[in-house]
Amino acid sequence: MDDKNLFEKFNEGGKLLLPDVTVEFDAIPWSKHPTFEGVELKAIITSEHTDGEFSFHLVRIAPNQKIDNHIHEKQLETHEVISGTGVCINDGVKLPYEAGIISIFPLGVPHEVIAGNDGLCLFAKFMPALC
C-alpha cells in the first residue's frame, strides 16, 4: 500500500474506537485552516470529548503550501506524517518530512511546516487540547 492510499484509509475509512463511542472519520467534514492558505483540518477528537486534555487532528497541506512559523504557548504538539513530503522547521532546525516521521514540539517552541510538490498529510496531536 502506498502512502497516498494509507492517507485515504484514514480519511475515508478511518475510525476512532473508544469504549463508549465510534467516530468515523469520513463523517467529519474538512475545514479550512483559519490562518494558513491551502491547509485543511479534520478534528478527530476535541476538548469537548477529552475534558480539555488532548485533541487529534488530521491535517492536509496542499502542494507547496505551508503552515507558517508559530508557537503554541499552552500545548505540546506532535506530528505523525502519513503521506507526502515536505520540511518541518522545529526550533530553527530543518527536518525532512515523509511518511513514518514523528516530530515533537514542546510548549513555546517555534515551528513551521512546508509541503513538497506532492503535498503533505499528517496527524497533529495537542496536549492539552487545541480546541
Side-chain angles (χ1 to χ4, degrees), residues 46-113:
T46 63
S47 62
E48 176 184 349
H49 297 100
T50 67
D51 293 326
E53 291 184 24
F54 60 90
S55 61
F56 289 7
H57 310 265
L58 198 54
V59 180
R60 181 167 57 189
I61 307 171
N64 303 306
Q65 295 295 315
K66 66 180 180 175
I67 298 174
D68 283 323
N69 194 42
H70 64 286
I71 293 172
H72 297 282
E73 295 290 347
K74 298 179 180 177
Q75 290 92 7
L76 174 132
E77 180 179 3
T78 67
H79 290 168
E80 297 170 25
V81 182
I82 300 169
S83 71
T85 59
V87 172
C88 173
I89 301 171
N90 183 341
D91 203 16
V93 178
K94 195 178 209 179
L95 306 171
Y97 261 19
E98 60 186 31
I101 297 294
I102 296 174
S103 196
I104 300 170
F105 315 96
L107 303 172
V109 169
H111 57 283
E112 67 181 290
V113 179

